[in-house]
C-alpha cells in the first residue's frame, strides 16, 4: 500500500516505510503515520474486529523504536536454559530456578487444580519473567487446540504455520484427536506422521552449567524440549498411553505427574462405562479401585526433595466414586475434599437428574488464606445452586479483603484474585473485580475482553509496546473468547499482524525474516 497521511490507514507495509526513509533519512515520518493509525484504531468501534490492526501497529512501533526484538533482552540474558548451539547459562541461574520453585510452592498452596497437568503448568514463569513460554508459535498452538474439535480444516491450516517443532508437535495432538473423532483415517495417519517427525527433530536445550539433575525434578518442565514432551504425552493420553510414558523416559518427576493424569483418565473411563451400563475395561477398573482403596498413595511421588503434590488424583477419583453412589474417599486437604463432594453432587444433578440441589454448607474451618482455591471450586462447578452458599461467602470475604489490600498496597492480592475467579464464573460483578490500581494479570484478559473490549484492546496495545510476551500471554488466555467473538479467522489475522510488523521493521539492508517467533512468515 502506498504511503499516505490518511489517519484511517489499515496496513503500513515495508515498501511504504523504505520509501519514506529514503526520502527523509529516518523512520520519523513513518512513525507519525503509525501513531495516527493506532490512535484511530483504538478509538474506533468494534475493538475485537480491529484487534489485529491494533496489534500490528503496536508491535511495529515498538520494533522501530527499540533496538531489535520486542522481547526484552533480559529474557534471554537470565533464562535458566539455553538452546542447542548457544553457550549454556552459568551456575548463577540456579538462584532464579530456586525463586521459581518458591513462587510455585506459594502459588500451589493458595490454589486448586482440577488435573495434575494443571498443577504442573502453574510452574511456568508468567510474562514477562525470564524463561516464560509465551510466543506466537505457542499462541497458534493454543488456537489449534480450541479449533480442532469443531473446525479441523482451519486448525490444520493454522498448525501448518508453526515452525517451532515443540509447539507444532503439541498442536498435532489436537489434530490426531479430531481425526479420530471424525473417523478420518488419512488425516489421523498424517497427523501421527507429522508428530513423529517433529518429535525426532526437536532441538535440545541445556541447564545452567550442564546440571542434568534438573531433568529428574519437576523443574524439567521449564525446559522447552521437556515441556513439549510432557504436553504431547498429555495430549495423546486418551488414545496412546504408551507413547506418553516413552516420551518421558529419563524424566521421572514428569513421568510421575503423567502417571497421576493417567489415573484420572482411567477413573473417568471407568465411571463413563458404569454410567452407560457397560462393563469397564480391566485396566480402568484396576486403577479406579486401587485409588479408592488407598487414596493417599495416588498423588505423584515426585521424589526426595521435590515439592509434594496436592491430592488431585484422590479428589478426582473420590468425585467419580460419589457420582456412582459410593462413599467419598478420605482426603486430608479440606479444600480438595470439598471440591470432590461438590463436583460429585453437581455431576449427579446434571447427568443423573438428581433432585438434591440444596447449597453445600460452607465448612466451619474455612481457610481465608486459600480464598482462590475455594473460588476455583465454584468456577469448576458453574450454574449450580449447590455452590451458591460458598460463592456468597467468598464474595463477601474477598470484597472485604480486596479493600484492605488496596489500602495497604499489598502485592499478594488474594481478595481481588478471588473476585476475578468468581466474576469469570459469573458469581461476582466484573467491575468489582476488574477495577483496581493495577491491570489484572494476563490470565484475566478473557474476562477483560468479555466485559470491556475497548479497555482490553488498549491494554493489549500497551503490552505489545512494552514486551511482546505480555501481549502473547493476553491473547493466549483470551483465545476462546476471541474465537467466540470473531470466528476462526481471528487466529490467522493475529498471526499476519505480528509477521507484517516484523517484516516491515526489518533493517533496510536485510531480507525480511522467513520465520517470526517460531512461525512461518507467509
Amino acid at each position: 500500500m502506498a504511503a499516505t497521511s490518511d489517519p484511517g490507514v489499515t496496513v503500513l507495509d515495508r515498501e511504504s516505510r523504505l520509501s519514506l526513509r529514503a526520502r527523509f533519512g529516518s523512520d520519523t515520518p513513518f512513525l507519525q503515520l503509525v501513531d495516527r493509525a493506532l490512535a484511530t484504531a483504538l478509538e474506533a468501534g468494534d475493538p475485537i474486529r480491529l484487534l489485529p490492526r491494533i496489534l500490528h501497529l503496536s508491535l511495529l512501533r515498538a520494533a522501530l523504536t527499540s533496538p531489535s526484538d520486542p522481547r526484552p533482552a533480559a529474557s534471554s540474558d537470565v533464562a535458566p536454559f539455553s538452546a542447542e548451539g548457544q553457550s549454556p547459562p552459568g551456575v548463577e541461574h540456579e538462584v532464579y530456578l530456586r525463586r521459581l520453585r518458591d513462587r510455585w510452592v506459594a502459588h500451589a498452596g493458595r490454589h486448586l487444580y482440577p488435573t495434575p497437568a494443571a498443577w504442573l503448568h502453574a510452574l511456568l514463569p508468567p510474562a514477562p519473567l525470564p524463561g516464560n513460554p509465551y510466543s506466537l508459535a505457542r499462541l497458534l498452538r493454543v488456537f489449534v487446540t480450541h479449533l480442532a474439535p469443531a473446525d479441523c480444516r482451519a486448525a490444520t491450516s493454522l498448525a501448518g504455520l508453526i515452525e517451532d517443532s515443540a509447539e507444532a508437535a503439541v498442536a498435532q495432538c489436537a489434530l490426531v484427536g479430531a481425526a479420530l473423532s471424525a473417523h478420518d483415517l488419512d488425516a489421523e495417519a498424517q497427523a501421527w506422521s507429522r508428530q513423529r517427525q517433529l518429535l525426532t527433530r526437536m532441538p535440545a536445550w541445556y541447564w545452567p552449567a550442564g546440571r542434568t539433575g534438573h531433568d529428574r525434578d519437576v523443574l524439567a518442565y521449564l525446559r522447552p524440549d521437556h515441556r513439549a514432551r510432557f504436553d504431547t504425552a498429555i495430549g495423546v493420553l486418551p488414545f496412546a498411553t504408551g507413547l506418553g510414558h516413552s516420551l518421558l523416559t529419563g524424566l521421572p518427576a514428569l513421568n510421575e505427574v503423567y502417571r497421576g493424569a493417567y489415573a484420572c483418565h482411567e477413573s473417568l473411563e471407568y465411571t463413563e462405562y458404569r454410567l452407560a451400563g457397560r462393563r469397564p475395561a480391566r485396566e480402568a477398573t484396576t486403577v479406579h479401585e486401587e485409588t479408592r482403596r488407598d487414596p493417599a498413595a495416588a498423588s505423584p511421588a515426585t521424589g526426595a526433595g521435590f515439592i509434594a503434590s496436592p491430592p488431585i488424583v484422590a479428589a478426582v477419583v473420590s468425585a467419580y466414586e460419589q457420582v456412582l453412589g459410593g462413599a467419598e474417599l478420605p482426603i486430608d486437604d479440606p479444600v480438595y475434599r470439598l471440591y470432590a463432594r461438590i463436583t460429585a453432587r453437581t455431576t449427579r444433578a446434571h447427568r443423573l437428574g438428581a433432585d438434591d440441589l440444596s447449597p453445600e454448607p460452607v465448612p466451619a474451618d474455612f481457610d481465608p488464606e486459600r480464598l482462590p482455591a475455594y473460588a476455583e471450586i465454584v468456577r469448576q462447578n458453574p450454574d449450580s445452586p449447590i455452590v451458591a452458599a460458598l460463592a456468597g461467602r467468598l464474595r463477601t470475604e474477598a470484597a472485604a479483603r480486596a479493600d484492605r489490600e488496596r489500602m495497604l498496597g499489598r502485592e499478594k492480592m488474594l481478595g481481588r484474585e478471588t473476585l476475578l475467579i468468581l466474576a469469570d464464573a459469573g458469581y461476582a460483578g466484573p467491575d468489582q473485580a476488574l477495577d483496581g490500581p493495577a491491570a489484572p494479570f494476563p490470565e484475566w484478559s478473557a474476562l477483560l475482553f468479555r466485559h470491556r473490549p475497548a479497555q482490553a484492546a488498549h491494554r493489549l496495545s500497551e503490552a505489545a509496546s512494552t514486551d511482546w510476551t505480555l501481549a502473547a500471554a493476553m491473547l493466549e488466555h483470551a483465545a476462546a473468547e476471541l474465537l467466540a467473538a470473531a470466528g476462526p479467522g481471528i487466529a490467522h489475522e493475529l498471526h499476519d499482524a505480528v509477521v507484517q510488523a516484523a517484516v516491515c521493521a526489518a533493517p533496510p539492508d536485510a531480507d525480511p525474516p522467513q520465520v517470526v517467533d517460531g512461525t512461518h512468515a507467509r
Side-chain angles (χ1 to χ4, degrees), residues 275-307:
L275 290 176
R278 299 163 60 191
R279 183 177 182 178
R282 178 179 298 178
E283 180 69 12
T285 302
T286 300
V287 171
H288 180 89
E289 289 298 324
E290 286 180 351
T291 307
R292 185 181 64 81
R293 286 193 297 269
D294 189 7
S299 297
T302 50
F306 299 153
I307 179 176

Side-chain angles (χ1 to χ4, degrees), residues 113-172:
Y113 305 97
T115 67
W119 171 68
L120 187 60
H121 294 162
L123 172 63
L124 294 174
L129 289 185
N132 77 77
Y134 299 103
S135 67
L136 183 57
R138 178 180 168 98
L139 176 62
L140 294 193
R141 184 258 286 185
V142 170
F143 275 120
V144 169
T145 303
H146 283 292
L147 281 170
D151 193 341
C152 192
R153 178 174 293 183
T156 302
S157 172
L158 205 60
L161 295 175
I162 304 175
E163 187 273 343
D164 182 294
S165 57
E167 297 296 351
V170 181
Q172 293 301 314

Side-chain angles (χ1 to χ4, degrees), residues 8 72 186 204 207 215 251 270 305 316 352 368 386 405 411 447 484 500-501:
D186 290 339
W207 292 110
D215 291 345
L251 305 172
Y270 171 84
V316 169
L352 304 178
I386 296 170
E405 291 167 342
E411 293 184 4
L447 190 65
Q500 289 170 8

Side-chain angles (χ1 to χ4, degrees), residues 115-320:
T115 67
W119 171 68
L120 187 60
H121 294 162
L123 172 63
L124 294 174
L129 289 185
N132 77 77
Y134 299 103
S135 67
L136 183 57
R138 178 180 168 98
L139 176 62
L140 294 193
R141 184 258 286 185
V142 170
F143 275 120
V144 169
T145 303
H146 283 292
L147 281 170
D151 193 341
C152 192
R153 178 174 293 183
T156 302
S157 172
L158 205 60
L161 295 175
I162 304 175
E163 187 273 343
D164 182 294
S165 57
E167 297 296 351
V170 181
Q172 293 301 314
C173 298
L175 300 183
V176 171
L180 283 168
S181 297
H183 305 289
D184 188 336
L185 297 181
D186 290 339
E188 180 191 349
Q190 290 173 7
W192 278 124
S193 175
R194 175 65 173 153
Q195 187 176 73
R196 283 194 296 271
Q197 294 171 6
L198 291 164
L199 290 170
T200 300
R201 70 177 179 87
M202 190 185 304
W205 293 70
Y206 298 96
W207 292 110
R211 294 191 173 183
T212 57
H214 292 312
D215 291 345
R216 304 184 60 81
D217 194 346
V218 285
L219 289 174
Y221 190 65
L222 295 175
R223 257 180 55 169
D225 50 344
H226 295 339
R227 181 166 65 247
R229 289 185 174 88
F230 179 84
D231 290 347
T232 299
I234 293 296
V236 300
L237 174 58
F239 36 82
T241 304
L243 174 60
H245 284 297
S246 64
L247 286 172
L248 299 174
T249 300
L251 305 172
L254 299 192
N255 197 39
E256 283 295 311
V257 180
Y258 177 76
R259 185 176 66 86
Y262 170 73
C264 293
H265 172 71
E266 292 299 298
S267 185
L268 169 63
E269 285 216 341
Y270 171 84
T271 305
E272 291 291 347
Y273 271 78
R274 287 280 306 275
L275 290 176
R278 299 163 60 191
R279 183 177 182 178
R282 178 179 298 178
E283 180 69 12
T285 302
T286 300
V287 171
H288 180 89
E289 289 298 324
E290 286 180 351
T291 307
R292 185 181 64 81
R293 286 193 297 269
D294 189 7
S299 297
T302 50
F306 299 153
I307 179 176
S309 65
I312 300 169
V313 179
V316 169
V317 175
S318 179
Y320 290 144

Side-chain angles (χ1 to χ4, degrees), residues 357-369:
L357 299 178
S358 59
E360 182 70 27
V362 180
D365 56 347
F366 191 87
D367 185 354
E369 292 300 312

